[in-house]
Amino acid sequence: MAMRIENQAVMFALLCKYTVEKKGSLGNHIIQQGMIKYGKERGRRMAERAKANGDPIALWTNQAYGEWKPDYPGQMEFGTVENTPEYKTYISKCAWCDAWKKYDLLEYGREYCVNVDKAVYEGFCQDFKCLPEYPTMSWGGQRCVFNWTQPLSPEDQEKVKAKKEELGTSCMKDFEYHTAHIYHTISGAIRDAFPEDAEEIISKATEDYIKLFGEDEFRPLLKYTPEDF
């Protein structure tokens, strides 16, 4: 069975849960540092693909070179708030939030939302800034709104559409890869910060994940290494 968004969402939430339970606010800080690293790794991959294709580093290419898509139509709901003077988008239905609620992990899963979009955007270009509006849905808001702090002109909107059609799914990663990425990067942050407790934290998170999804949806994550991201 192919891994889904909920695999990645739950893996993150469990690693966060056991880190915070063991280390409190310091654990939460380390999780956020790990999320910034994770997001910037994603953004850098997107930028490298754009440059390899001869495309510029710009807002429109950032919007075109996404690495994931919903598991099925209707799972997510996206839209545009405005294109000028600054491009703002929203999410009004989120598969990550749904997964955290399903498994009673929202308290921990919502930490994913604090820095990930900002970090991906800055990883794509260090001069770019994303300003999420708070609260996001996972923190009690009606929807998530993102200010990308640049306009997206009608010409650039057409470029996004054309580039997405050209790329199709060629730049996207499946959720085995995305789940492995979150597992390895966040586990690495935990090991670096808490070498004496890291294996206990990671083992508890892994055991809970296996109880929910089974060994067959955990073992494939181990074929990856931190260098794969």
Side-chain angles (χ1 to χ4, degrees):
M1 184 175 182
M3 292 189 190
R4 306 160 303 283
I5 288 173
E6 70 176 37
N7 291 83
Q8 195 239 24
V10 168
M11 177 60 78
F12 169 79
L14 291 171
L15 288 168
C16 181
K17 174 184 177 179
Y18 286 110
T19 304
V20 171
E21 285 185 354
K22 188 74 174 180
K23 293 296 183 177
S25 60
L26 179 57
N28 188 77
H29 172 72
I30 294 304
I31 291 293
Q32 289 305 326
Q33 294 303 111
M35 280 305 299
I36 291 169
K37 183 175 187 290
Y38 163 83
K40 288 186 174 182
E41 287 169 344
R42 277 178 49 186
R44 281 194 294 269
R45 286 197 303 264
M46 292 163 61
E48 287 167 3
R49 290 192 195 98
K51 288 185 283 189
N53 285 342
D55 289 323
I57 299 303
L59 172 58
W60 75 265
T61 50
N62 174 267
Q63 297 296 305
Y65 275 84
E67 283 199 320
W68 64 274
K69 64 183 180 67
D71 298 323
Y72 54 85
Q75 187 184 30
M76 303 280 293
E77 291 179 358
F78 312 90
T80 300
V81 177
E82 62 185 35
N83 291 299
T84 61
E86 294 174 313
Y87 182 52
K88 294 182 181 180
T89 60
Y90 71 85
I91 298 173
S92 55
K93 183 178 180 183
C94 176
W96 278 264
C97 286
D98 291 344
W100 297 324
K101 290 174 183 177
K102 176 180 176 180
Y103 294 102
D104 196 25
L105 289 167
L106 182 62
E107 175 185 358
Y108 303 102
R110 64 187 183 182
E111 296 294 332
Y112 183 96
C113 308
V114 174
N115 281 304
V116 66
D117 295 284
K118 294 184 288 186
V120 172
Y121 200 42
E122 290 173 14
F124 190 77
C125 176
Q126 64 180 0
D127 296 326
F128 286 2
K129 299 297 176 187
C130 172
L131 302 177
E133 294 183 6
Y134 297 105
T136 58
M137 281 193 294
S138 59
W139 290 85
Q142 293 299 307
R143 61 181 186 173
C144 301
V145 176
F146 305 96
N147 180 352
W148 304 98
T149 66
Q150 304 177 52
L152 191 69
S153 69
E155 179 185 5
D156 283 344
Q157 293 168 47
E158 289 302 314
K159 288 180 181 178
V160 173
K161 182 180 177 181
K163 183 56 65 172
K164 282 185 173 181
E165 290 176 355
E166 175 191 329
L167 293 172
T169 60
S170 63
C171 293
M172 293 183 181
K173 301 288 190 179
D174 62 27
F175 274 92
E176 178 183 293
Y177 181 92
H178 287 303
T179 304
H181 188 188
I182 207 82
Y183 172 74
H184 285 281
T185 299
I186 300 302
S187 293
I190 296 167
R191 289 189 175 101
D192 289 344
F194 311 119
E196 72 286 357
D197 296 306
E199 297 315 312
E200 175 190 348
I201 292 168
I202 296 165
S203 292
K204 286 182 176 180
T206 300
E207 288 167 8
D208 280 7
Y209 178 90
I210 291 171
K211 286 177 185 176
L212 293 172
F213 298 106
E215 285 275 359
D216 288 345
E217 294 195 37
F218 175 71
R219 280 196 303 270
L221 309 182
L222 301 180
K223 71 184 182 185
Y224 298 88
T225 70
E227 288 70 34
D228 292 317
F229 311 110

